[in-house]
Amino acid sequence: MPPAGEGAKKAAKRGILERLEAGEVVIGDGGFVFALEKRGYVKAGPWTPEAAVEHPEAVRQLHREFLRAGANVMQTFTFYASDDKLENRGNYVGEKISGQKVNEAACDIARDVANEGDALVAGGVSQTPSYLSCKSEKEVKTIFRKQLEVFVKKNVDFMIAEYFEHVEEAVWAVQVLKESGKPVASTMCIGPDGDLNGVPAGECAVQLAKAGADIVGVNCHFDPFVCLKTLKLMKEGLEAAGVKAHLMIQPIAYLTPDCGHQGFIDLPEFPFALEPRVVTRWDIHKYAREAYNMGIRYIGGCCGFEPYHVRAIAEELAPERGFLPEGSEKHGSWGAGLDMHTKPWVRARARKEYWQNLKPSTGRPYSASLSVPDAWGVTRGDADLMQQKEATTEQQLKNLFKKQKQKSETTA
């Protein structure tokens, strides 16, 4: 099968809805904050995207790797780039750089790379500290609108409202983004149990679509297979309500069968010890096929998704797309390149059946296969979740350490 050629690149002139309505597979990119944190360009904790200004080449290179792996959406690196987040808990970015400059730089980088191949640019907003701190609908929408002004100025191809734990805030975001007149996608970071207020997943999808979202789905917090369960509920909810919307899925690249309502952020390993949970490229082949068979046509990844994971989506769905990504030039299908290995037992692994049936080991003797989520049950309006402009104080941390110890003793 040939790599993407000029014909595929010309398809970038068509919009996201034209592609989806034609039944084409749209491949999203992977996780930026986790990948760039590991590379030393993002600070864990705030997870804000000032690297777009401070280290633009690092952001550009990651975009380029996702493009080469087969992604045909370059999502602006504007996760948590709202003004209130950039000044939350002592963050210097809002004052020293500004939200406008971060958003503008992210748009420029995404567009530059998108123009190198078959890709659209999506401007993204995410949940805000203002909502978590019980600010009004008007105040929260004003926060979204400031980012939207940049996206309109930079003429991104469509909008994404992603990473929302509460459907109410996601609906507000969709309503604001629709003011652009461009297509809007909206994904929530929820599992099969619905949002943090208990709104069922199917109802969340219906509310988003009725608010104007052309594409609905989930991203982050849960692994590919948990997310597929959530998408099934969303699809059923839309069908029962007689509401139409395209489906989108962008899960994390960590296995989360033991997660509760809050997903992987509840795991004791979050965020610095998640590596034993990383999905293999072969897991992603299975995920991509199941997503496609479910009728999902916008398939990508979130935190932990590296370019090789995105390439696995592109390779699994190459028959449907009609071409392989450039990143497959050095990657034999299902381990085919191993036939060149010097060791005979490794050459014997150059086949689909071997990798498809492998049960990987962790290499960690006596380690637990599952964890006990923290499950603090904290959501909007809780005192511990109220946000502040000032840095977290030592006393606030001591109070949290004490609460964590008490909860650990209770669950022991």
Side-chain angles (χ1 to χ4, degrees):
M1 187 173 294
E6 291 304 314
K9 292 181 180 181
K10 289 179 182 178
K13 295 179 181 179
R14 293 179 301 132
I16 184 68
L17 296 183
E18 291 176 276
R19 296 181 181 206
L20 292 173
E21 287 163 5
E24 294 180 22
V25 176
V26 173
I27 298 181
D29 54 17
F32 272 72
V33 290
F34 267 53
L36 291 173
E37 189 278 331
K38 288 181 172 68
R39 291 159 169 79
Y41 300 109
V42 165
K43 186 174 184 177
W47 304 108
T48 47
E50 60 271 16
V53 173
E54 296 176 338
H55 302 284
E57 287 309 310
V59 178
R60 189 186 312 277
Q61 178 61 24
L62 189 54
H63 271 302
R64 189 168 283 136
E65 290 180 22
F66 283 128
L67 178 73
R68 194 167 183 272
N72 51 5
V73 172
M74 297 292 105
Q75 194 167 330
T76 59
F77 186 37
T78 51
F79 175 78
Y80 274 168
S82 59
D83 282 355
D84 58 344
K85 181 63 177 177
L86 296 178
E87 63 179 18
N88 193 50
R89 295 196 176 277
N91 198 330
Y92 68 89
V93 180
E95 180 179 349
K96 293 189 176 180
I97 300 178
S98 85
Q100 180 174 341
K101 288 182 179 178
V102 170
N103 282 276
E104 287 182 347
C107 288
D108 289 342
I109 295 169
R111 177 61 71 190
D112 287 346
V113 177
N115 287 343
E116 296 175 8
D118 171 26
L120 302 172
V121 175
V125 301
S126 49
Q127 68 179 8
T128 63
S130 293
Y131 181 84
L132 296 179
S133 298
C134 300
K135 296 291 181 67
S136 69
E137 177 180 349
K138 181 179 179 181
E139 290 173 298
V140 174
K141 284 187 171 181
T142 297
I143 293 291
F144 292 137
R145 202 166 279 118
K146 292 191 73 173
Q147 285 188 268
L148 177 62
E149 289 172 358
V150 175
F151 299 151
V152 171
K153 174 184 175 182
K154 294 296 183 178
N155 196 29
V156 302
D157 298 304
F158 68 102
M159 311 292 175
I160 296 180
E162 68 164 4
Y163 195 78
F164 287 90
E165 297 171 307
H166 304 86
V167 70
E168 179 181 54
E169 187 184 16
V171 165
W172 294 353
V174 170
Q175 291 170 342
V176 170
L177 296 182
K178 289 295 289 184
E179 295 171 8
S180 68
K182 294 178 181 289
V184 174
S186 183
T187 54
M188 299 189 65
C189 51
I190 61 173
D193 293 332
D195 85 348
L196 293 191
N197 284 332
V199 180
E203 176 59 24
C204 286
V206 171
Q207 288 190 32
L208 293 173
K210 287 185 174 181
D214 304 286
I215 308 162
V216 301
V218 293
N219 81 294
C220 208
H221 277 202
F222 296 91
D223 73 38
F225 307 105
V226 175
C227 283
L228 285 168
K229 293 177 183 177
T230 308
L231 252 294
K232 182 175 183 293
L233 295 172
M234 285 186 157
K235 182 179 181 181
E236 291 171 352
L238 290 167
E239 291 173 348
V243 178
K244 292 185 177 180
H246 297 286
L247 299 176
M248 172 178 178
I249 184 169
Q250 300 208 110
I252 61 173
Y254 306 102
L255 295 171
T256 61
D258 45 352
C259 281
H261 214 163
Q262 288 267 9
F264 80 143
I265 60 173
D266 246 4
L267 293 173
E269 301 97 326
F270 177 89
F272 298 129
L274 289 164
E275 284 79 3
R277 294 173 176 265
V278 174
V279 297
T280 70
R281 63 193 72 194
W282 315 122
D283 292 325
I284 299 304
H285 274 266
K286 180 180 179 183
Y287 148 67
R289 180 54 55 190
E290 290 185 10
Y292 185 86
N293 289 343
M294 192 185 293
I296 304 168
R297 292 297 178 267
Y298 192 140
I299 305 170
C302 199
C303 297
F305 259 72
E306 292 282 348
Y308 74 94
H309 289 116
V310 171
R311 182 180 63 189
I313 298 173
E315 290 183 343
E316 176 62 32
L317 299 178
E320 287 77 14
R321 300 179 84 206
F323 60 89
L324 287 166
E326 292 180 17
S328 293
E329 292 176 2
K330 297 285 188 179
H331 188 244
S333 178
W334 289 98
L338 298 181
D339 60 5
M340 299 173 68
H341 203 279
T342 57
K343 309 298 183 184
W345 59 89
V346 178
R347 291 199 297 275
R349 300 170 187 166
R351 54 197 172 95
K352 181 177 181 178
E353 293 76 16
Y354 178 87
W355 296 109
Q356 202 169 39
N357 297 315
L358 182 70
K359 304 296 182 186
S361 297
T362 67
R364 296 176 179 272
Y366 313 116
S367 66
S369 59
L370 301 176
S371 295
V372 178
D374 284 343
W376 280 27
V378 173
T379 189
R380 186 189 189 220
D382 190 285
D384 286 334
L385 204 59
M386 299 299 284
Q387 303 301 306
Q388 62 193 46
K389 186 173 182 179
E390 301 77 24
T392 304
T393 66
E394 185 175 347
Q395 186 58 51
Q396 287 175 325
L397 284 176
K398 286 182 178 179
N399 292 341
L400 292 175
F401 297 157
K402 182 179 180 181
K403 179 176 285 191
Q404 184 182 54
K405 183 178 180 181
Q406 291 172 340
K407 288 184 175 292
S408 296
E409 291 172 349
T410 300
T411 57

